[in-house]
């Protein structure tokens, strides 16, 4: 049984079937969320903006990020290679909570900090080859959001369909199966006054060594 199939069975009551072997599972209040926890994470992680290549341009990410994982879990996107920093005690605690929900011990996590409504994430799919031997047809991603709720939007470019969830305050959104092949997702900017939000997307990355 693949990690994605196991998570699907464990989260059955939350699963939303998107067709084409794609699914998400959304749970509100899945992990504890309070200011002390967010502060511990923000203060203990080397969060920073990154320069990414977008065609011929170099652009600075409108959010702060930090990549952590087991040794060898190297991650490549937008022309950059990210070597994982070690797990911290605060990250390990969230990883344990995610394992209790999904039945999977994730080996990597990308932390995104959205300082206010101007910070965002553009349309993309987490479909990199290193995210699984069967990528992009069998990828498991578990996304924990702490702090201010933000709109998380998904679109199916071929079917012209959209779905939307509000993620924050300890929510867990799990994406599995072929979701990364067929759907893209984004966190849009907003002019509304919103507080800071931390997002942790747990992934399984093939050892590049
Ligand atoms: O902040 C979020 O909820 C989305 C993060 C995301 O899309 C990603 O890490 O690939």
């Amino acid at each position: 049984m693949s990690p994605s199939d196991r998570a699907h069975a464990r989260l059955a009551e939350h699963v939303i079937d998107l067709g084409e072997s794609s699914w998400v599972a959304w749970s509100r209040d899945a992990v504890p969320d309070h200011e002390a926890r967010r502060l511990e994470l923000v203060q203990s992680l080397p969060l920073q903006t990154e320069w990414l290549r977008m065609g011929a341009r170099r652009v600075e990410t409108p959010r702060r990020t930090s990549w952590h994982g087991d040794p060898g879990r190297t991650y490549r996107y937008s022309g950059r290679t990210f070597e994982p920093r070690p797990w911290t005690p605060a990250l390990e605690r969230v990883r344990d909570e995610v394992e209790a929900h999904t039945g999977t011990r994730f080996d990597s996590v990308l932390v995104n900090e959205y300082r206010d409504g101007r910070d965002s994430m553009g349309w993309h799919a987490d479909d990199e080859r290193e995210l699984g031997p069967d990528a992009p047809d069998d990828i498991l991603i578990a996304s924990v959001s702490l702090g201010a709720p933000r709109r998380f939007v998904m679109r199916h470019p071929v079917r012209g369909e959209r779905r939307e969830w509000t993620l924050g305050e300890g929510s867990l959104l799990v994406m599995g199966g072929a979701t990364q092949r067929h759907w893209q997702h984004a966190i849009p900017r907003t002019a509304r006054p919103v507080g800071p939000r931390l997002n942790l997307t747990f992934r399984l990355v093939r050892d590049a060594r």
Side-chain angles (χ1 to χ4, degrees):
M1 193 186 254
S2 76
S4 177
D5 288 344
R6 190 168 48 236
H8 187 282
R10 294 278 284 256
L11 294 161
E13 64 182 297
H14 300 285
V15 166
I16 298 159
D17 187 356
L18 299 174
E20 301 171 309
S21 304
S22 309
W23 60 270
V24 299
W26 175 73
S27 340
R28 193 197 298 272
D29 304 328
V31 306
D33 183 16
H34 48 81
E35 189 161 6
R37 175 171 230 201
R38 294 196 299 273
L39 277 180
E40 185 190 2
L41 282 160
V42 168
Q43 288 168 0
S44 63
L45 301 178
L47 289 158
Q48 57 187 52
T49 56
E50 301 286 349
W51 288 95
L52 300 178
R53 215 172 295 146
M54 296 284 171
R57 287 186 310 140
R58 278 177 84 232
V59 293
E60 193 175 15
T61 52
R63 62 191 172 274
R64 300 201 308 159
T65 63
S66 186
W67 173 250
H68 298 259
D70 297 349
R73 266 54 187 185
T74 306
Y75 195 48
R76 293 180 193 82
Y77 71 92
S78 296
R80 293 283 312 273
T81 299
F82 297 92
E83 291 299 336
R85 294 177 188 271
W87 291 95
T88 68
L91 285 177
E92 298 255 29
R93 277 193 293 277
V94 190
R95 167 159 78 158
D96 290 346
E97 290 159 7
V98 170
E99 182 177 358
H101 284 283
T102 59
T104 290
R105 185 142 192 87
F106 287 89
D107 58 30
S108 316
V109 64
L110 177 65
V111 184
N112 290 301
E113 183 198 18
Y114 303 82
R115 293 156 290 188
D116 57 30
R118 285 169 297 186
D119 276 351
S120 62
M121 173 82 83
W123 288 111
H124 69 285
D126 297 326
D127 56 359
E128 290 81 12
R129 274 187 40 236
E130 57 264 44
L131 289 176
D134 296 325
D137 291 314
D138 194 19
I139 292 180
L140 182 66
I141 308 252
S143 168
V144 170
S145 301
L146 305 175
R150 292 283 296 264
R151 284 175 62 224
F152 175 88
V153 196
M154 290 180 67
R155 73 176 179 195
H156 189 299
V158 177
R159 301 206 301 242
E161 218 175 288
R162 279 196 186 224
R163 303 285 178 112
E164 183 170 326
W165 287 270
T166 301
L167 303 186
E169 298 175 336
S171 67
L172 172 69
L173 183 92
V174 178
M175 297 184 270
T179 306
Q180 304 305 321
R181 172 184 287 280
H182 300 293
W183 293 79
Q184 298 176 331
H185 54 271
I187 297 281
R189 280 174 70 122
T190 174
R192 274 189 308 116
V194 290
R197 169 176 180 270
L198 260 192
N199 173 260
L200 300 90
T201 48
F202 290 85
R203 297 145 194 258
L204 290 166
V205 173
R206 274 187 293 172
D207 192 339
R209 292 172 300 177

